[in-house]
Amino acid sequence: MELPAVSTSMALLFFYSVLLIVSFVAAQDPSFINIPASVNVTENSPIHTEVAQFGIVTADPNPKVEIVSVVPATNAFNLVFDKSLSTASITLAATLDFETQPWYTITVYVEDYNLTSVTNISANILVRVLDVNEPPQCEPQLVSPGVTVQVREDISPGTSIYVVLASDPDHNSVLQYNVSDALPSGSANRFRFLNPSPSLLNIGSFNYQKGDTNFIVSVVVEDQFGLKCTGTVHVEILPVKNTLLNFTFPVQNVTIKENIGPDIYVTKVTASSGTNLRYHLVTPSVSFWIDQGSGIIRTGMHLDVDKTPSLTYTMLLVRVYSADSSGTSGTATVNVFVLDVNDNFPVCDPPSFLVEVKETEPIGTVLTTLKCSDADITNNTLSYEIVPDGNSLDKFRLTGNNLEINDTLDYDSEEIARANFQYKASIIVTDSGVPPLSISIPIQVGVYPVNEFKPTFPGPFFFDVLENRAAHTVIGSVNGQDRDWEFNNLHYSIIGGNIPPVFYIDMKSGTIHLLGSLDFEMKRSYELNIQVVDIDQDRDPDPLKQNTVNQLFTVQVQDENDNPPVCNPPFHETTIYSTLSARDPVLTVTCTDGDINFVHTFRISGGNENNRFTMNGNQLMSRNTFSYNPAGVMDPLTFDLSIQVSDGVFITSVKVIVHVVPWTTTSPTTTTPLVTRSIKTVTVLQGYWEPEPWFVAILTISVALAIGTTALLIWKILQCTSLSNSSPPEMTAPLVQQG
Ligand SMILES: *[C@@H]1O[C@H](CO)[C@@H](O)[C@H](O)[C@H]1NC(C)=O
Ligand SMILES: *[C@@H]1O[C@H](CO)[C@@H](O)[C@H](O)[C@H]1NC(C)=O
Ligand SMILES: *[C@@H]1O[C@H](CO)[C@@H](O)[C@H](O)[C@H]1NC(C)=O
Ligand SMILES: *[C@@H]1O[C@H](CO)[C@@H](O)[C@H](O)[C@H]1NC(C)=O
């Protein structure tokens, strides 16, 4: 060390200083005595070490002495001035470091006062810091108490097990690392450094089982000058459980279905060896759990892949370990695939469908667009099918998801009226799962009416009506038709041809009635203009939407026998000879009739005694069989005949007086007085009965028999009379007129 040398030179310096002070004490100006231009100080010198000492000459008893600057700046130097000795000394206030700053320049300043003026002086001192070699520095933890490292027993040889941290304050120091010793004894050669690397390496491997459990390694770090630091590394060897347990199947793929419930068996893992085994899942899962004793894996819950698609695949790592002290373990992989099951029905929006459209809504109109989905993640494509009922057959179609009108939705039919004007169908929506699941969407499409059709009249357009019918007699119905539902809902009116009113029409039924009787003879036909309007054929009754149709109908009045024959004259009187030929008419009855068409029949209804007259048409004929035998048949000389004239309904009687002039060739007297008779006309309005031909025949036979019987009876009586009167019998022979 050089500290003794410094002390020696300081003592010498002190000696000279005292000498100088004594020599120049009388000097007036301040001045330095023996101030060094430079001094040397070794680095790391302790505090208070004196760096320089010198004398100061001044007359001032209290001069100012100080360090005014240090370059480079530092507080490492102190100046102390001893007044009694007039010496100043500079000491260290801090240790100096060569490696940090190898020199300093100190400027010393002195100032004094001699009653008249101030004077000063300054001087520089160069301080050289002298380098000294310093020992390396090990990290404190390494030095005491030492560091601990843990290494696996299976660490490879030559692995760095610890890096020593050491440094040297000196520049250009080269540090050497060495293992100086190790415990247990004899193990020092199992560790080494490969200089200049500070890594502590292991030589060879460790065997925990064989007692390689702990080592205490002493480490020394040394610089090239032999300075050193030391430390301790505690090496703890960790045993490695390298005995593997194997699984019967180290990798398993298992497939289960979704939603089979919690705690359902998935699979079982088994180690192929080992005792007292325990299983657990390395990857914790809420979806699966393992029975730690048996290795059976079960579901942890309902696994719904539709809700949680990630459940489709799960990789489970299973660890098995031996619960005894062998410390063996192993892992297996179980890949669980969860299959989708078709367990969701299709869902549609809307779930049912109700709408109302007009009956003329065009084909192709979109009634609704179905929005359906299936919550299953697979096989979720949907198909649609319309199932119609009887009314809705072919009425709807699906174009994609659009429900469209496929055929006119007619309002005007009995069937749809019974169905309350609703077309009903179902749409069956089916998914593509196995087995498929379907839902049915009820469709109800109500229709409301539109007045589409005009009323029509099918005809015939004429009616025949008999004259003389009573008021309100129905003469016919115009039978208007309308194809809008409600069918034929019409209102009728007569708008022409009925002035003055002769007819009226039933507004609802269209039947035409008589207001009063008609007279063919007055007017033979009428042209009625009938108007028909359809009613309630639109949803919103709107008169402007009604259809009006006019049609002419002809009413033809039929003639009827409604007038009695009228005979003119109604009374005849004539005279004939009894010999009038049966071929010449006695007279002709002349009759007319108020009816246009008539047929008159003529019949003698009274006064035709002995049936001496007959009718030939309207001619009264004599049979030329008069008898004027006083002893026999005695015809009247005057016949008072009634002739009935019938037109089939009515009968008119005509009186005819015929005077007969018997047996003479002379002209009948014209003096025969005319007997004036009152005319008697019987009119039978009803109840005229025209017998059937067979009846007439029977009647004729009956009458003939009756007449014959009567004649026989009369003849018998006359015979008896003649017997009593002894008069000769006489034949009632026809009187034949001679010539
Ligand atoms: C003081 O110092 C000045 C200059 O050095 C000198 O001229 C003067 O005489 C001195 N005075 C005394 C009283 O010594
Ligand atoms: C486990 O299998 C490995 C190789 O697959 C084999 O080396 C080892 O011996 C087996 N362990 C047992 C305990 O069977
Ligand atoms: C649509 O109408 C046509 C006839 O116009 C018919 O052939 C077809 O089947 C109908 N479509 C449906 C889906 O009813
Ligand atoms: C999906 O369809 C396939 C093929 O038809 C079938 O094998 C499978 O079972 C179906 N899956 C479901 C969930 O319906």
Side-chain angles (χ1 to χ4, degrees), residues 403-457:
L403 176 67
E404 297 178 351
I405 296 177
N406 187 50
D407 190 12
T408 309
L409 301 178
D410 192 13
Y411 182 90
D412 307 314
S413 79
E414 183 83 44
E415 291 75 21
I416 198 66
R418 270 203 299 272
N420 207 17
F421 306 104
Q422 281 198 329
Y423 290 90
K424 293 181 181 172
S426 303
I427 298 179
I428 307 294
V429 185
T430 309
D431 66 17
S432 48
V434 179
L437 297 176
S438 299
I439 56 161
S440 171
I441 306 173
I443 303 293
Q444 285 184 51
V445 179
V447 285
Y448 58 83
V450 170
N451 194 355
E452 295 173 277
F453 302 106
K454 286 193 163 197
T456 57
F457 291 105

Short mmCIF file of all heavy atoms in Angstrom, two decimals, residues 403-457:
data_model
loop_
_atom_site.label_atom_id
_atom_site.label_comp_id
_atom_site.label_asym_id
_atom_site.label_seq_id
_atom_site.Cartn_x
_atom_site.Cartn_y
_atom_site.Cartn_z
N LEU A 403 -98.20 -18.02 -51.00
CA LEU A 403 -99.50 -18.64 -51.22
C LEU A 403 -100.25 -17.77 -52.22
O LEU A 403 -100.49 -16.59 -51.95
CB LEU A 403 -100.27 -18.75 -49.91
CG LEU A 403 -101.69 -19.32 -50.05
CD1 LEU A 403 -101.64 -20.78 -50.46
CD2 LEU A 403 -102.44 -19.18 -48.74
N GLU A 404 -100.60 -18.34 -53.36
CA GLU A 404 -101.23 -17.56 -54.43
C GLU A 404 -102.60 -18.13 -54.78
O GLU A 404 -102.86 -19.31 -54.54
CB GLU A 404 -100.35 -17.57 -55.69
CG GLU A 404 -99.02 -16.92 -55.48
CD GLU A 404 -98.16 -16.99 -56.74
OE1 GLU A 404 -98.56 -17.69 -57.71
OE2 GLU A 404 -97.11 -16.36 -56.76
N ILE A 405 -103.41 -17.28 -55.42
CA ILE A 405 -104.68 -17.74 -55.94
C ILE A 405 -104.41 -18.48 -57.25
O ILE A 405 -103.71 -17.96 -58.12
CB ILE A 405 -105.62 -16.54 -56.17
CG1 ILE A 405 -105.94 -15.87 -54.84
CG2 ILE A 405 -106.91 -17.01 -56.85
CD1 ILE A 405 -106.81 -14.64 -54.98
N ASN A 406 -104.91 -19.69 -57.35
CA ASN A 406 -104.66 -20.50 -58.54
C ASN A 406 -105.89 -20.58 -59.43
O ASN A 406 -105.80 -20.97 -60.58
CB ASN A 406 -104.24 -21.90 -58.11
CG ASN A 406 -103.81 -22.77 -59.27
OD1 ASN A 406 -102.99 -22.36 -60.08
ND2 ASN A 406 -104.39 -23.96 -59.38
N ASP A 407 -107.04 -20.27 -58.87
CA ASP A 407 -108.26 -20.36 -59.65
C ASP A 407 -109.23 -19.36 -59.02
O ASP A 407 -109.17 -19.12 -57.81
CB ASP A 407 -108.82 -21.79 -59.57
CG ASP A 407 -109.96 -22.00 -60.56
OD1 ASP A 407 -110.16 -21.12 -61.42
OD2 ASP A 407 -110.66 -23.03 -60.43
N THR A 408 -110.11 -18.82 -59.88
CA THR A 408 -111.01 -17.78 -59.39
C THR A 408 -111.77 -18.24 -58.16
O THR A 408 -112.33 -19.34 -58.15
CB THR A 408 -111.99 -17.42 -60.51
OG1 THR A 408 -111.23 -17.15 -61.67
CG2 THR A 408 -112.80 -16.21 -60.13
N LEU A 409 -111.79 -17.41 -57.16
CA LEU A 409 -112.48 -17.75 -55.91
C LEU A 409 -113.93 -17.31 -56.04
O LEU A 409 -114.28 -16.20 -55.68
CB LEU A 409 -111.80 -17.07 -54.73
CG LEU A 409 -110.32 -17.44 -54.53
CD1 LEU A 409 -109.75 -16.68 -53.36
CD2 LEU A 409 -110.17 -18.92 -54.31
N ASP A 410 -114.74 -18.18 -56.61
CA ASP A 410 -116.11 -17.81 -56.94
C ASP A 410 -116.94 -17.68 -55.68
O ASP A 410 -116.85 -18.49 -54.76
CB ASP A 410 -116.69 -18.89 -57.86
CG ASP A 410 -117.99 -18.42 -58.47
OD1 ASP A 410 -118.30 -17.21 -58.39
OD2 ASP A 410 -118.71 -19.27 -59.04
N TYR A 411 -117.76 -16.65 -55.68
CA TYR A 411 -118.68 -16.43 -54.56
C TYR A 411 -120.04 -17.03 -54.86
O TYR A 411 -120.84 -17.27 -53.97
CB TYR A 411 -118.81 -14.91 -54.36
CG TYR A 411 -119.67 -14.46 -53.21
CD1 TYR A 411 -119.14 -14.27 -51.94
CD2 TYR A 411 -121.02 -14.18 -53.40
CE1 TYR A 411 -119.92 -13.84 -50.89
CE2 TYR A 411 -121.81 -13.75 -52.35
CZ TYR A 411 -121.25 -13.57 -51.10
OH TYR A 411 -122.02 -13.14 -50.05
N ASP A 412 -120.32 -17.23 -56.17
CA ASP A 412 -121.69 -17.46 -56.61
C ASP A 412 -121.99 -18.94 -56.77
O ASP A 412 -122.12 -19.44 -57.88
CB ASP A 412 -121.93 -16.73 -57.94
CG ASP A 412 -121.54 -15.27 -57.84
OD1 ASP A 412 -121.92 -14.64 -56.85
OD2 ASP A 412 -120.85 -14.78 -58.75
N SER A 413 -122.01 -19.65 -55.66
CA SER A 413 -122.43 -21.05 -55.76
C SER A 413 -123.05 -21.49 -54.44
O SER A 413 -122.76 -20.94 -53.38
CB SER A 413 -121.26 -21.95 -56.14
OG SER A 413 -120.47 -22.21 -55.01
N GLU A 414 -123.86 -22.47 -54.58
CA GLU A 414 -124.54 -23.06 -53.42
C GLU A 414 -123.51 -23.61 -52.42
O GLU A 414 -123.62 -23.41 -51.21
CB GLU A 414 -125.42 -24.22 -53.95
CG GLU A 414 -126.24 -24.90 -52.90
CD GLU A 414 -127.53 -24.16 -52.64
OE1 GLU A 414 -128.16 -23.73 -53.61
OE2 GLU A 414 -127.87 -24.00 -51.45
N GLU A 415 -122.47 -24.25 -52.98
CA GLU A 415 -121.49 -24.91 -52.12
C GLU A 415 -120.75 -23.89 -51.26
O GLU A 415 -120.58 -24.07 -50.06
CB GLU A 415 -120.47 -25.69 -52.97
CG GLU A 415 -121.03 -26.90 -53.68
CD GLU A 415 -121.89 -26.53 -54.89
OE1 GLU A 415 -121.73 -25.41 -55.41
OE2 GLU A 415 -122.73 -27.36 -55.30
N ILE A 416 -120.31 -22.82 -51.90
CA ILE A 416 -119.51 -21.86 -51.14
C ILE A 416 -120.40 -21.06 -50.19
O ILE A 416 -119.95 -20.63 -49.14
CB ILE A 416 -118.67 -20.96 -52.09
CG1 ILE A 416 -117.54 -20.31 -51.32
CG2 ILE A 416 -119.51 -19.91 -52.79
CD1 ILE A 416 -116.52 -21.29 -50.80
N ALA A 417 -121.66 -20.93 -50.55
CA ALA A 417 -122.58 -20.28 -49.62
C ALA A 417 -122.75 -21.13 -48.38
O ALA A 417 -122.76 -20.61 -47.26
CB ALA A 417 -123.93 -20.05 -50.30
N ARG A 418 -122.84 -22.45 -48.58
CA ARG A 418 -122.95 -23.34 -47.42
C ARG A 418 -121.70 -23.28 -46.56
O ARG A 418 -121.76 -23.47 -45.36
CB ARG A 418 -123.18 -24.78 -47.89
CG ARG A 418 -124.65 -25.14 -48.04
CD ARG A 418 -124.86 -26.63 -47.93
NE ARG A 418 -124.15 -27.34 -48.98
CZ ARG A 418 -124.65 -27.60 -50.18
NH1 ARG A 418 -125.88 -27.23 -50.46
NH2 ARG A 418 -123.94 -28.23 -51.09
N ALA A 419 -120.57 -23.03 -47.20
CA ALA A 419 -119.30 -22.94 -46.46
C ALA A 419 -119.08 -21.54 -45.92
O ALA A 419 -117.94 -21.18 -45.59
CB ALA A 419 -118.15 -23.36 -47.36
N ASN A 420 -120.14 -20.77 -45.88
CA ASN A 420 -120.05 -19.41 -45.33
C ASN A 420 -119.06 -18.55 -46.11
O ASN A 420 -118.37 -17.70 -45.57
CB ASN A 420 -119.66 -19.46 -43.86
CG ASN A 420 -120.17 -18.25 -43.13
OD1 ASN A 420 -121.06 -17.56 -43.62
ND2 ASN A 420 -119.62 -17.99 -41.96
N PHE A 421 -118.97 -18.83 -47.41
CA PHE A 421 -118.12 -18.08 -48.34
C PHE A 421 -116.66 -18.12 -47.92
O PHE A 421 -115.93 -17.13 -48.05
CB PHE A 421 -118.63 -16.65 -48.51
CG PHE A 421 -120.07 -16.60 -48.91
CD1 PHE A 421 -121.04 -16.27 -47.98
CD2 PHE A 421 -120.46 -16.93 -50.19
CE1 PHE A 421 -122.37 -16.25 -48.33
CE2 PHE A 421 -121.79 -16.92 -50.55
CZ PHE A 421 -122.75 -16.58 -49.61
N GLN A 422 -116.25 -19.26 -47.41
CA GLN A 422 -114.85 -19.39 -47.03
C GLN A 422 -114.26 -20.59 -47.75
O GLN A 422 -114.82 -21.68 -47.74
CB GLN A 422 -114.72 -19.60 -45.53
CG GLN A 422 -114.87 -18.31 -44.76
CD GLN A 422 -114.31 -18.45 -43.36
OE1 GLN A 422 -114.35 -19.53 -42.80
NE2 GLN A 422 -113.82 -17.37 -42.81
N TYR A 423 -113.11 -20.35 -48.35
CA TYR A 423 -112.33 -21.44 -48.92
C TYR A 423 -111.31 -21.85 -47.88
O TYR A 423 -110.55 -21.03 -47.40
CB TYR A 423 -111.63 -20.99 -50.20
CG TYR A 423 -112.58 -20.76 -51.34
CD1 TYR A 423 -113.16 -19.52 -51.56
CD2 TYR A 423 -112.91 -21.82 -52.19
CE1 TYR A 423 -114.04 -19.32 -52.61
CE2 TYR A 423 -113.80 -21.63 -53.25
CZ TYR A 423 -114.36 -20.38 -53.45
OH TYR A 423 -115.22 -20.19 -54.48
N LYS A 424 -111.35 -23.13 -47.54
CA LYS A 424 -110.46 -23.61 -46.49
C LYS A 424 -109.50 -24.64 -47.06
O LYS A 424 -109.88 -25.46 -47.89
CB LYS A 424 -111.26 -24.25 -45.36
CG LYS A 424 -112.10 -23.24 -44.61
CD LYS A 424 -112.86 -23.90 -43.49
CE LYS A 424 -113.72 -22.85 -42.79
NZ LYS A 424 -114.62 -23.43 -41.83
N ALA A 425 -108.26 -24.55 -46.60
CA ALA A 425 -107.25 -25.52 -47.00
C ALA A 425 -106.23 -25.56 -45.88
O ALA A 425 -106.31 -24.80 -44.92
CB ALA A 425 -106.60 -25.14 -48.32
N SER A 426 -105.30 -26.47 -46.01
CA SER A 426 -104.20 -26.55 -45.05
C SER A 426 -102.90 -26.58 -45.84
O SER A 426 -102.85 -27.12 -46.94
CB SER A 426 -104.28 -27.82 -44.21
OG SER A 426 -105.51 -27.86 -43.55
N ILE A 427 -101.89 -25.98 -45.25
CA ILE A 427 -100.55 -26.12 -45.83
C ILE A 427 -99.77 -27.02 -44.88
O ILE A 427 -99.66 -26.72 -43.69
CB ILE A 427 -99.86 -24.77 -46.01
CG1 ILE A 427 -100.66 -23.92 -46.99
CG2 ILE A 427 -98.44 -24.97 -46.51
CD1 ILE A 427 -100.07 -22.57 -47.22
N ILE A 428 -99.29 -28.11 -45.42
CA ILE A 428 -98.50 -29.03 -44.60
C ILE A 428 -97.03 -28.68 -44.82
O ILE A 428 -96.55 -28.68 -45.95
CB ILE A 428 -98.76 -30.49 -45.01
CG1 ILE A 428 -100.27 -30.78 -45.00
CG2 ILE A 428 -98.01 -31.44 -44.11
CD1 ILE A 428 -100.92 -30.71 -43.65
N VAL A 429 -96.37 -28.34 -43.75
CA VAL A 429 -94.94 -28.00 -43.82
C VAL A 429 -94.17 -29.15 -43.19
O VAL A 429 -94.45 -29.55 -42.06
CB VAL A 429 -94.66 -26.69 -43.07
CG1 VAL A 429 -93.21 -26.29 -43.24
CG2 VAL A 429 -95.58 -25.59 -43.55
N THR A 430 -93.25 -29.71 -43.94
CA THR A 430 -92.54 -30.92 -43.52
C THR A 430 -91.04 -30.67 -43.59
O THR A 430 -90.55 -30.11 -44.57
CB THR A 430 -92.92 -32.09 -44.45
OG1 THR A 430 -94.34 -32.16 -44.52
CG2 THR A 430 -92.38 -33.39 -43.93
N ASP A 431 -90.35 -31.09 -42.54
CA ASP A 431 -88.89 -30.95 -42.59
C ASP A 431 -88.28 -32.20 -43.24
O ASP A 431 -88.99 -33.13 -43.60
CB ASP A 431 -88.30 -30.66 -41.20
CG ASP A 431 -88.48 -31.81 -40.23
OD1 ASP A 431 -88.75 -32.94 -40.68
OD2 ASP A 431 -88.36 -31.57 -39.02
N SER A 432 -86.97 -32.19 -43.41
CA SER A 432 -86.33 -33.28 -44.13
C SER A 432 -85.64 -34.24 -43.18
O SER A 432 -84.76 -34.98 -43.59
CB SER A 432 -85.34 -32.71 -45.15
OG SER A 432 -84.54 -31.74 -44.53
N GLY A 433 -86.04 -34.22 -41.92
CA GLY A 433 -85.41 -35.11 -40.96
C GLY A 433 -85.91 -36.54 -41.10
O GLY A 433 -86.78 -36.85 -41.89
N VAL A 434 -85.32 -37.43 -40.31
CA VAL A 434 -85.71 -38.84 -40.32
C VAL A 434 -86.11 -39.20 -38.89
O VAL A 434 -85.27 -39.19 -38.00
CB VAL A 434 -84.56 -39.73 -40.79
CG1 VAL A 434 -84.99 -41.18 -40.76
CG2 VAL A 434 -84.11 -39.32 -42.18
N PRO A 435 -87.38 -39.53 -38.60
CA PRO A 435 -88.50 -39.40 -39.53
C PRO A 435 -88.89 -37.92 -39.66
O PRO A 435 -88.61 -37.14 -38.76
CB PRO A 435 -89.61 -40.20 -38.84
CG PRO A 435 -89.30 -40.08 -37.38
CD PRO A 435 -87.81 -40.03 -37.28
N PRO A 436 -89.53 -37.55 -40.75
CA PRO A 436 -89.87 -36.15 -40.95
C PRO A 436 -90.95 -35.70 -39.97
O PRO A 436 -91.79 -36.48 -39.54
CB PRO A 436 -90.39 -36.10 -42.39
CG PRO A 436 -90.74 -37.48 -42.73
CD PRO A 436 -89.93 -38.40 -41.89
N LEU A 437 -90.91 -34.43 -39.63
CA LEU A 437 -91.92 -33.83 -38.76
C LEU A 437 -92.68 -32.79 -39.56
O LEU A 437 -92.09 -32.03 -40.34
CB LEU A 437 -91.26 -33.17 -37.54
CG LEU A 437 -90.51 -34.11 -36.60
CD1 LEU A 437 -89.83 -33.32 -35.49
CD2 LEU A 437 -91.45 -35.13 -36.00
N SER A 438 -94.00 -32.75 -39.35
CA SER A 438 -94.86 -31.85 -40.13
C SER A 438 -95.72 -31.02 -39.21
O SER A 438 -96.07 -31.46 -38.12
CB SER A 438 -95.79 -32.65 -41.05
OG SER A 438 -95.05 -33.40 -41.94
N ILE A 439 -96.09 -29.86 -39.70
CA ILE A 439 -97.17 -29.09 -39.06
C ILE A 439 -98.16 -28.69 -40.14
O ILE A 439 -97.82 -28.69 -41.33
CB ILE A 439 -96.67 -27.83 -38.33
CG1 ILE A 439 -95.90 -26.93 -39.29
CG2 ILE A 439 -95.85 -28.19 -37.13
CD1 ILE A 439 -95.77 -25.53 -38.80
N SER A 440 -99.34 -28.36 -39.70
CA SER A 440 -100.39 -27.97 -40.64
C SER A 440 -100.80 -26.54 -40.33
O SER A 440 -101.06 -26.20 -39.18
CB SER A 440 -101.59 -28.92 -40.47
OG SER A 440 -102.67 -28.43 -41.21
N ILE A 441 -100.80 -25.72 -41.36
CA ILE A 441 -101.21 -24.32 -41.19
C ILE A 441 -102.61 -24.17 -41.79
O ILE A 441 -102.78 -24.34 -42.99
CB ILE A 441 -100.25 -23.38 -41.92
CG1 ILE A 441 -98.84 -23.64 -41.45
CG2 ILE A 441 -100.64 -21.94 -41.67
CD1 ILE A 441 -97.84 -22.87 -42.25
N PRO A 442 -103.61 -23.90 -40.98
CA PRO A 442 -104.95 -23.73 -41.54
C PRO A 442 -105.04 -22.41 -42.32
O PRO A 442 -104.55 -21.38 -41.87
CB PRO A 442 -105.86 -23.67 -40.31
CG PRO A 442 -104.99 -23.93 -39.13
CD PRO A 442 -103.58 -23.73 -39.53
N ILE A 443 -105.62 -22.52 -43.50
CA ILE A 443 -105.79 -21.36 -44.37
C ILE A 443 -107.29 -21.11 -44.51
O ILE A 443 -108.03 -22.04 -44.82
CB ILE A 443 -105.23 -21.66 -45.77
CG1 ILE A 443 -103.78 -22.07 -45.68
CG2 ILE A 443 -105.42 -20.48 -46.70
CD1 ILE A 443 -102.88 -20.99 -45.26
N GLN A 444 -107.73 -19.91 -44.25
CA GLN A 444 -109.13 -19.57 -44.48
C GLN A 444 -109.18 -18.30 -45.31
O GLN A 444 -108.70 -17.26 -44.86
CB GLN A 444 -109.86 -19.30 -43.16
CG GLN A 444 -110.16 -20.57 -42.39
CD GLN A 444 -110.95 -20.26 -41.14
OE1 GLN A 444 -111.97 -19.58 -41.21
NE2 GLN A 444 -110.47 -20.72 -40.01
N VAL A 445 -109.69 -18.43 -46.51
CA VAL A 445 -109.79 -17.27 -47.39
C VAL A 445 -111.27 -17.00 -47.62
O VAL A 445 -111.96 -17.77 -48.29
CB VAL A 445 -109.05 -17.50 -48.71
CG1 VAL A 445 -109.19 -16.28 -49.60
CG2 VAL A 445 -107.59 -17.80 -48.45
N GLY A 446 -111.75 -15.94 -47.01
CA GLY A 446 -113.14 -15.56 -47.22
C GLY A 446 -113.25 -14.73 -48.49
O GLY A 446 -112.33 -14.00 -48.85
N VAL A 447 -114.36 -14.90 -49.19
CA VAL A 447 -114.58 -14.08 -50.38
C VAL A 447 -115.79 -13.20 -50.16
O VAL A 447 -116.73 -13.59 -49.48
CB VAL A 447 -114.77 -14.92 -51.66
CG1 VAL A 447 -113.47 -15.49 -52.12
CG2 VAL A 447 -115.79 -16.00 -51.45
N TYR A 448 -115.74 -12.02 -50.72
CA TYR A 448 -116.91 -11.18 -50.67
C TYR A 448 -117.36 -10.88 -52.10
O TYR A 448 -116.58 -10.95 -53.03
CB TYR A 448 -116.69 -9.91 -49.85
CG TYR A 448 -115.57 -9.01 -50.30
CD1 TYR A 448 -115.77 -8.08 -51.31
CD2 TYR A 448 -114.33 -9.06 -49.69
CE1 TYR A 448 -114.75 -7.23 -51.70
CE2 TYR A 448 -113.32 -8.21 -50.07
CZ TYR A 448 -113.53 -7.31 -51.08
OH TYR A 448 -112.53 -6.47 -51.46
N PRO A 449 -118.68 -10.61 -52.24
CA PRO A 449 -119.26 -10.63 -53.59
C PRO A 449 -118.91 -9.39 -54.40
O PRO A 449 -118.67 -8.31 -53.87
CB PRO A 449 -120.76 -10.70 -53.31
CG PRO A 449 -120.91 -10.07 -51.98
CD PRO A 449 -119.68 -10.40 -51.21
N VAL A 450 -118.94 -9.61 -55.70
CA VAL A 450 -118.83 -8.52 -56.67
C VAL A 450 -119.96 -8.74 -57.67
O VAL A 450 -120.23 -9.87 -58.08
CB VAL A 450 -117.46 -8.56 -57.38
CG1 VAL A 450 -117.44 -7.59 -58.54
CG2 VAL A 450 -116.34 -8.26 -56.41
N ASN A 451 -120.65 -7.69 -58.01
CA ASN A 451 -121.77 -7.81 -58.94
C ASN A 451 -121.22 -8.04 -60.34
O ASN A 451 -120.90 -7.11 -61.07
CB ASN A 451 -122.63 -6.56 -58.89
CG ASN A 451 -123.98 -6.76 -59.56
OD1 ASN A 451 -124.23 -7.82 -60.14
ND2 ASN A 451 -124.83 -5.77 -59.47
N GLU A 452 -121.13 -9.29 -60.72
CA GLU A 452 -120.46 -9.63 -61.98
C GLU A 452 -121.43 -9.76 -63.15
O GLU A 452 -121.07 -9.51 -64.28
CB GLU A 452 -119.74 -10.98 -61.84
CG GLU A 452 -118.61 -11.00 -60.86
CD GLU A 452 -118.10 -12.43 -60.70
OE1 GLU A 452 -118.70 -13.18 -59.92
OE2 GLU A 452 -117.12 -12.78 -61.37
N PHE A 453 -122.64 -10.24 -62.87
CA PHE A 453 -123.51 -10.64 -63.97
C PHE A 453 -124.73 -9.73 -64.06
O PHE A 453 -125.23 -9.23 -63.05
CB PHE A 453 -123.98 -12.08 -63.77
CG PHE A 453 -122.84 -13.04 -63.67
CD1 PHE A 453 -122.50 -13.60 -62.45
CD2 PHE A 453 -122.10 -13.37 -64.79
CE1 PHE A 453 -121.45 -14.48 -62.34
CE2 PHE A 453 -121.04 -14.26 -64.68
CZ PHE A 453 -120.72 -14.81 -63.46
N LYS A 454 -125.22 -9.57 -65.32
CA LYS A 454 -126.47 -8.85 -65.54
C LYS A 454 -127.62 -9.84 -65.45
O LYS A 454 -127.47 -11.00 -65.86
CB LYS A 454 -126.47 -8.22 -66.93
CG LYS A 454 -125.58 -7.02 -67.04
CD LYS A 454 -125.87 -6.27 -68.33
CE LYS A 454 -125.30 -4.88 -68.27
NZ LYS A 454 -125.87 -4.00 -69.26
N PRO A 455 -128.74 -9.36 -64.98
CA PRO A 455 -129.89 -10.25 -65.00
C PRO A 455 -130.26 -10.58 -66.46
O PRO A 455 -129.98 -9.80 -67.37
CB PRO A 455 -131.01 -9.43 -64.36
CG PRO A 455 -130.32 -8.30 -63.67
CD PRO A 455 -129.06 -8.05 -64.41
N THR A 456 -130.85 -11.75 -66.63
CA THR A 456 -131.30 -12.14 -67.98
C THR A 456 -132.73 -12.67 -67.87
O THR A 456 -133.20 -13.04 -66.80
CB THR A 456 -130.43 -13.27 -68.56
OG1 THR A 456 -130.46 -14.36 -67.65
CG2 THR A 456 -129.00 -12.82 -68.76
N PHE A 457 -133.40 -12.65 -69.04
CA PHE A 457 -134.73 -13.25 -69.12
C PHE A 457 -134.65 -14.39 -70.11
O PHE A 457 -134.29 -14.17 -71.27
CB PHE A 457 -135.76 -12.23 -69.62
CG PHE A 457 -136.02 -11.13 -68.63
CD1 PHE A 457 -135.51 -9.87 -68.82
CD2 PHE A 457 -136.82 -11.37 -67.51
CE1 PHE A 457 -135.76 -8.86 -67.93
CE2 PHE A 457 -137.07 -10.35 -66.61
CZ PHE A 457 -136.54 -9.10 -66.81
#
